[in-house]
Amino acid sequence: GAGVSQSPRYKVAKRGQDVALRCDPISGHVSLFWYQQALGQGPEFLTYFQNEAQLDKSGLPSDRFFAERPEGSVSTLKIQRTQQEDSAVYLCASRRGRSSYEQYFGPGTRLTVT
Amino acid sequence: AQTVTQSQPEMSVQEAETVTLSCTYDTSESDYYLFWYKQPPSRQMILVIRQEAYKQQNATENRFSVNFQKAAKSFSLKISDSQLGDAAMYFCAYRSPSNNAGNMLTFGGGTRLMVKP
C-alpha cells in the first residue's frame, strides 16, 4: 500500500515568504506528527494530531508556524515570514492509532530559505 | 523532559563484521518505549527495532539486536554480519507510554554508520 507522502520534496523560499508543506498520511492512520530535522541532527517534534484535533503543539518554535488537519487526513504545515533558521527538512509521520508502536515517516520536505 | 544521547557521531564497520551503536537516555518514567530508526541517504526513515521498557528480554530482529540496560538507561544496537545496505544514519528514539499526553518521539543526534567492502 501507499506510504506517507509529502509535497513538495524541495522548496526554496526567499526570506519573508510564506510556505505551505503538505503531508498525506497512510489511509486510516489516526495519529499524525510533524518533526523538524536540521542538517546533521536528529528530528525534533513540532506538533501532533489525533484525527483533526491538534493535541500537542508544544514543539512549534514560534507563532509563525501553524499546522492544521481539518478533515483528519491530509495535514498542512504553514510557515509565515520564513527566516533562514527555518531551513531544515520537515518530516511528517503517521501512526495507526494512539497505542500503536510504529510511526511511518514520509520522505520529508527540504526547505531552504535564502 | 526526556533526553536521548548518541555519543558516536560516526562509526565504521567492515562488511560481514559486527558493530554496536550506543545510546543513553534520561527519564523519570518507569514505563516507556525505545526505538532504533534507520535513515538511508535521501530516503525515508524506517523502524529497525523496538523495545518495551517493561520487558527484560532484549529485542531481536534478524541481524539486529539490542542490549537494553534499564538501570543504566542504556540502549545499544548491535548489527551482525554487516551489509553494504546497512550504511545509513541511525537514530535512537524514546517514547512515553500512550496514556501520556506526549506521544512524540524524542530522538538522539544520530550515528552515521559506514560499511566498508
Side-chain angles (χ1 to χ4, degrees), chain B residues 84-102:
Chain B
L84 295 177
D86 295 334
M89 284 291 291
Y90 285 82
F91 292 98
C92 178
Y94 174 103
R95 180 194 154 184
S96 291
S98 59
N99 59 339
N100 284 9

Side-chain angles (χ1 to χ4, degrees), chain B residues 5-69:
Chain B
T5 302
Q6 293 178 249
S7 58
Q8 305 153 317
E10 283 191 0
M11 290 285 285
S12 180
V13 63
Q14 204 71 33
E15 196 175 5
E17 297 293 308
T18 296
V19 65
T20 298
L21 308 185
S22 301
C23 173
T24 58
Y25 57 94
D26 188 27
T27 184
S28 58
E29 297 174 317
S30 59
D31 193 19
Y32 46 85
Y33 305 102
L34 296 166
F35 304 85
W36 278 97
Y37 276 86
K38 172 185 178 181
Q39 189 176 43
S42 302
R43 290 180 59 190
Q44 286 162 251
M45 196 171 309
I46 57 173
L47 179 65
V48 174
I49 198 167
R50 75 165 190 266
Q51 174 81 42
E52 291 91 335
Y54 65 86
K55 290 186 177 179
Q56 292 187 328
Q57 187 172 5
N58 289 323
T60 62
E61 285 288 341
N62 301 313
R63 297 183 296 108
F64 299 87
S65 61
V66 299
N67 183 4
F68 173 48
Q69 302 288 330

Side-chain angles (χ1 to χ4, degrees), chain A:
Chain A
V4 178
S5 61
Q6 293 185 245
S7 61
R9 291 292 313 278
Y10 303 91
K11 177 70 178 177
V12 179
K14 286 186 166 46
R15 189 159 54 99
Q17 280 185 332
D18 297 349
V19 298
L21 313 179
R22 178 188 169 104
C23 172
D24 284 81
I26 294 172
S27 179
H29 278 199
V30 168
S31 303
L32 185 145
F33 301 81
W34 284 99
Y35 294 87
Q36 180 190 58
Q37 186 175 20
L39 187 64
Q41 297 183 24
E44 292 191 352
F45 169 76
L46 293 177
T47 188
Y48 161 62
F49 290 87
Q50 186 168 308
N51 296 305
E52 69 279 2
Q54 189 176 20
L55 298 187
D56 190 344
K57 53 182 181 179
S58 61
L60 296 176
S62 77
D63 58 7
R64 297 185 295 105
F65 286 71
F66 171 76
E68 60 183 4
R69 193 185 185 198
E71 297 178 357
S73 178
V74 171
S75 178
T76 304
L77 177 67
K78 297 179 180 178
I79 308 173
Q80 297 177 324
R81 305 181 303 281
T82 51
Q83 304 293 318
Q84 281 194 316
E85 61 263 28
D86 300 335
S87 295
V89 175
Y90 291 85
L91 297 172
C92 175
S94 71
R95 192 177 67 200
R96 183 180 302 278
R98 190 177 172 87
S99 60
S100 302
Y101 294 115
E102 185 169 357
Q103 291 187 19
Y104 296 83
F105 284 82
T109 294
R110 181 178 297 278
L111 173 65
T112 303
V113 181
T114 60

